[in-house]
Amino acid sequence: MSITKEVKRQDTEKRELLNPFLSTQTIIKEALQKLGYSEEVFELLKEPIRMMTVRIPVKMDDSSVKIFTGYRSQHNDAVGPTKGGVRFHPDVNEEEVKALSMWMSLKCGITDLPYGGGKGGIICDPRKMSFGELERLSRGYVRAISQIVGPNKDIPAPDVYTNSQIMAWMMDEYSRLREFDSPGFITGKPIVLGGSQGRETATARGVTICIEEAVKKKNLQLHEARVIIQGFGNAGSFLAKFMHDAGARVIGISDAYGALYDPKGLDIEYLLDRRDSFGTVTKLFTKVISNQELLEKECDILVPAAIANQITGQNAHRIKASIIVEAANGPTTIEATKILDERGVLIVPDILASAGGVTVSYFEWVQNNQGYYWPQEEVANKLRKVMVDSFENVYKASQIHHVDMRIAAYMVGIRKSAEASRFRGWI
């Protein structure tokens, strides 16, 4: 092979590893092979069974009409209705939404929930939109996808730049279309509209439980452990508080504009008080470092809680943490995972660590269906049991099959969809 062809081949491989959809397919294929499933099973599960693209006209405040593009992906509904969030972000694209729906199937498999994976998104920048424009966009999205969603079809939830208010608008629009109250159509709602206690902090609680389990495996103490959290949005900010309350030393945090670092520990209460609704706080400081610099600082526990592809083959050698717990989607590439695993770094993958959100969403859906609501303590106890059991199942699988935690999580997560599809006679 010529040098030019070899360089092109390596570039192609690199792009594939950084593409969340293609890298997810790669790991699913490896997981299914290790479990002994046929090629037909991979052919079924390598793509969503259903993908809808919609165009949403929205009247803006200046009386102009802007057309937004939205997506809804349903990976596999052999287990039950699909479930997954809706994100509002300028970088939303079809392949990302497809990958996220596949990750949701894996999360539901790991936590043994009766769901397949779903995901949605709209290409927009909510930071530049008014309250009224966001409401009209939210309602327009529901009207556009209403035929393929519902309490027993596909249940949306909050995600990046969406919140309980947006879920409330969506639920109201769906209820208008169906002409009956449908709280079970969507989760992450305000408490007064059928939301669950503990839903807002669920993802961060789940990550915290995974950190507690991970430090036990590494014979460390969470008290006084040095923690760096990349990202200060919903998950990252609550996690910083939980780590601080547990006695850990949070020495670094970041947002989209930079990072703050202090080896003696940051004043988390002050930062939480000063952050805005989008998780931005570093603009208030002059002594700011980059997100990449923060990732490479010495610490015991590193939590990527921002965006994908932050730890790659390029910087994995410079990561100094002994435990990485992924609160974001896809922050560590396949290549980086191999490098870090060989160094003995314990990586708790995103599809396990961030499963607290979908778990409490499931609790909310159950409560909506029953019309009976649980107190916060009951929700917290149920979440802890699910997360501890899920962590142990993945950790045991990694030990039994001699694979890293990511492959183990995919093996545990994909089995349920594969078995449900087999029993239905699809494969």
Side-chain angles (χ1 to χ4, degrees), residues 16-160:
E16 288 180 354
L17 290 173
L18 291 173
N19 181 310
F21 178 60
L22 295 175
S23 63
T24 299
Q25 286 185 326
T26 300
I27 308 173
I28 284 178
K29 185 167 190 174
E30 184 177 351
L32 288 169
Q33 286 174 342
K34 288 185 180 296
L35 290 168
Y37 285 103
S38 66
E39 184 68 21
E40 288 83 359
V41 180
F42 173 66
E43 285 299 316
L44 174 66
L45 299 176
K46 74 177 185 179
E47 294 256 5
I49 59 167
R50 196 173 294 110
M51 179 76 193
M52 179 179 270
T53 301
V54 295
R55 300 280 280 161
I56 311 156
V58 176
K59 190 167 187 179
M60 308 302 280
D61 290 346
D62 63 3
S63 295
S64 66
V65 175
K66 186 172 180 181
I67 313 300
F68 293 88
T69 300
Y71 304 99
R72 189 68 189 175
S73 174
Q74 297 169 348
H75 176 236
N76 184 275
D77 56 6
V79 173
T82 50
K83 179 89 185 74
V86 180
R87 57 179 52 186
F88 287 7
H89 197 278
D91 295 332
V92 164
N93 61 73
E94 184 175 329
E95 286 208 332
E96 177 193 54
V97 173
K98 286 163 70 173
L100 290 165
S101 71
M102 294 162 78
W103 289 339
M104 285 303 301
S105 280
L106 294 161
K107 287 183 186 183
C108 294
I110 289 168
T111 50
D112 199 24
L113 303 181
Y115 293 138
K119 207 72 176 187
I122 301 174
I123 303 171
C124 68
D125 191 344
R127 294 167 294 187
K128 296 177 181 177
M129 296 174 69
S130 71
F131 209 60
E133 289 169 342
L134 284 173
E135 178 177 356
R136 294 190 286 276
L137 177 62
S138 302
R139 291 181 182 276
Y141 178 70
V142 171
R143 289 194 299 274
I145 66 167
S146 64
Q147 295 305 308
I148 66 165
V149 295
N152 298 304
K153 286 184 179 180
D154 182 11
I155 304 106
D159 202 272
V160 176

Side-chain angles (χ1 to χ4, degrees), residues 391-402 405 408:
F391 184 97
E392 282 303 314
N393 288 338
V394 171
Y395 189 79
K396 282 178 185 174
S398 75
Q399 300 297 300
I400 292 168
H401 295 280
H402 305 290
M405 287 279 282

Side-chain angles (χ1 to χ4, degrees), residues 155-194:
I155 304 106
D159 202 272
V160 176
Y161 290 157
T162 55
N163 53 28
S164 61
Q165 175 60 77
I166 289 171
M167 298 304 103
W169 289 327
M170 289 186 176
M171 186 202 79
D172 183 67
E173 191 65 25
Y174 186 83
S175 297
R176 288 185 187 186
L177 292 169
R178 293 293 176 258
E179 298 184 341
F180 59 83
D181 193 42
S182 305
F185 154 66
I186 203 163
T187 59
K189 303 180 294 295
I191 297 292
V192 295
L193 292 179

